[in-house]
Amino acid sequence: MLTLHGECWVITDAAAGNQRQALALAEHLQLPRRHLLLEPRAPWSWLAPRLTVGGRLALPPAQRAWFAPPWPAVAIGCGRAAALFTRLLRPLTGGRCHTVQILDPRLDPALWDTVVAPRHDALHGANVLTTLGSLNTVDDEWLADGRDACPQFEELPQPRVGVLLGGPRRGIALDADYAAALGRHLLERWRAEGGSLLVIGSRRTPATLIEALRPLLADVPGLLWAGADDGRNPFPGVLGWADRLVVTPDSVNMLSEACAVGCPVLTFIRAPLPPKIARFHQTLRDAGLLHDIDAPGTAPQPPLRETARVAALVRARIEASMARVNLQP
């Protein structure tokens, strides 16, 4: 095994899900890291990663100094905006930077050295690594750290049910009506089983969803976390202590993180899902990793943990490309 040298740039926009995936992969490569939050201006932002004319002029002036030599040995991008800059790095470095793009860039994957895409993207190519879900940092050590950070959850009655709330997206309405129906399902099972509910929102969770759930769950042991006003984000602790997880159907990242825990994962769907995310749900169901909200049983399930496997494959590809570069006259 070669020792990897040089710096790894992690390139993302402000989307938390993109950041988590790219940083999770970079962590496994064990290289010095810089996280560049790059957001191109129009018209590049409209056409990324297709429009490359103008190069660094795509960036606002304050960000141009970040995207400049010395260039990294490895660059990992996640999301469409990042794909513009990982694509630019190949010609800028004469092929000496190994470019990794997470998620379908919607262009020929051969424009990057390695592309990592979930199965439901249906992307194929000699340099494409396929995952079932999204990359994340959830493993036994991460979950133990989450439990250590939230020891108060141990005192809650079992089963401890974590409820992860996302937000609306095209084709998926998460509104007050959805929240009321979700709350009724949660309450019905709590009355039958007892236990506690640990409900947490995300950046995308609308206030209407939280406010519809708050009065319904007021008498249930646990918590409802809606943002910084409620204190530190307890997400790692909720996953660490959960006996069961209920996840809204909108987020591939949240569902993947939940399935990495090893407890039963349930979801609540009121209407047909958009085709792409429906394929993802079906893949999880076929693997026995995702169930309807009223599914019985609380047996542990094998955790979905793909980051270490993908990182080993990426590392092998980087080593092979380093060897080719070193052999060049």
Side-chain angles (χ1 to χ4, degrees):
M1 179 183 292
L2 292 173
T3 300
L4 300 186
H5 296 287
E7 192 172 46
C8 175
W9 284 6
V10 177
I11 303 175
T12 71
D13 55 14
N18 290 341
Q19 293 181 23
R20 286 201 297 272
Q21 290 206 69
L23 289 167
L25 180 56
E27 183 178 327
H28 278 269
L29 296 182
Q30 297 181 323
L31 287 170
R33 297 192 298 277
R34 285 181 64 199
H35 183 192
L36 303 185
L37 201 160
L38 302 180
E39 297 188 313
R41 305 178 299 162
W44 293 272
S45 60
W46 304 334
L47 300 172
R50 296 180 180 277
L51 179 61
T52 58
V53 175
R56 290 172 62 245
L57 293 177
L59 288 169
Q63 295 182 15
R64 288 177 198 164
W66 304 344
F67 192 74
W71 301 115
V74 179
I76 300 172
C78 186
R80 191 169 58 85
L84 168 62
F85 301 106
T86 50
R87 181 184 177 188
L88 286 170
L89 278 167
R90 285 183 82 183
L92 284 171
T93 65
R96 291 185 175 273
C97 173
H98 189 99
T99 54
V100 182
Q101 183 59 33
I102 302 171
L103 301 181
D104 183 358
R106 302 181 187 181
L107 279 177
D108 183 355
L111 293 169
W112 291 264
D113 293 300
T114 302
V115 174
V116 181
R119 190 184 306 172
H120 60 269
D121 275 351
L123 183 67
H124 304 285
N127 65 329
V128 175
L129 304 179
T130 302
T131 63
L132 195 159
S134 62
L135 304 180
N136 57 72
T137 56
V138 179
D139 58 19
D140 289 343
E141 183 178 356
W142 188 92
L143 293 169
D145 288 344
R147 290 191 292 272
D148 289 344
C150 299
Q152 70 276 19
F153 293 167
E154 186 175 14
E155 306 302 319
L156 291 171
Q158 292 181 270
R160 304 180 195 96
V161 180
V163 182
L164 311 183
L165 304 175
R169 57 182 290 175
R170 184 179 299 177
I172 302 178
L174 296 187
D175 52 18
D177 288 341
Y178 177 93
L182 172 63
R184 288 194 294 270
H185 280 274
L186 295 172
L187 278 174
E188 183 178 345
R189 192 152 185 176
W190 172 73
R191 288 172 181 142
E193 296 181 346
S196 52
L197 292 172
L198 298 162
V199 183
I200 57 174
S202 67
R203 295 182 188 180
R204 299 188 304 108
T205 305
T208 52
L209 197 69
I210 297 291
E211 295 312 313
L213 282 172
R214 195 180 298 278
L216 290 173
L217 306 181
D219 297 327
V220 181
L223 69 85
L224 196 160
W225 187 90
D229 290 344
D230 294 326
R232 185 177 60 181
N233 190 337
F235 178 75
V238 170
L239 266 61
W241 288 109
D243 299 302
R244 184 164 67 238
L245 287 163
V246 177
V247 188
T248 56
D250 52 287
S251 172
V252 171
N253 288 331
M254 284 200 315
L255 284 163
S256 298
E257 288 165 337
C259 289
V261 172
C263 67
V265 179
L266 316 178
T267 192
F268 177 48
I269 300 170
R270 299 188 77 201
L273 297 171
K276 191 171 181 178
I277 197 161
R279 291 197 299 270
F280 173 59
H281 276 241
Q282 192 59 52
T283 301
L284 292 180
R285 289 176 183 272
D286 291 345
L289 296 171
L290 184 64
H291 314 277
D292 291 330
I293 192 168
D294 295 322
T298 56
Q301 61 189 37
L304 175 67
R305 297 178 184 171
E306 303 182 279
T307 308
R309 174 186 68 84
V310 170
L313 294 172
V314 170
R315 183 186 179 91
R317 293 184 59 83
I318 294 170
E319 290 174 351
S321 64
M322 286 175 53
R324 286 194 297 270
V325 168
N326 290 336
L327 288 171
Q328 291 178 3

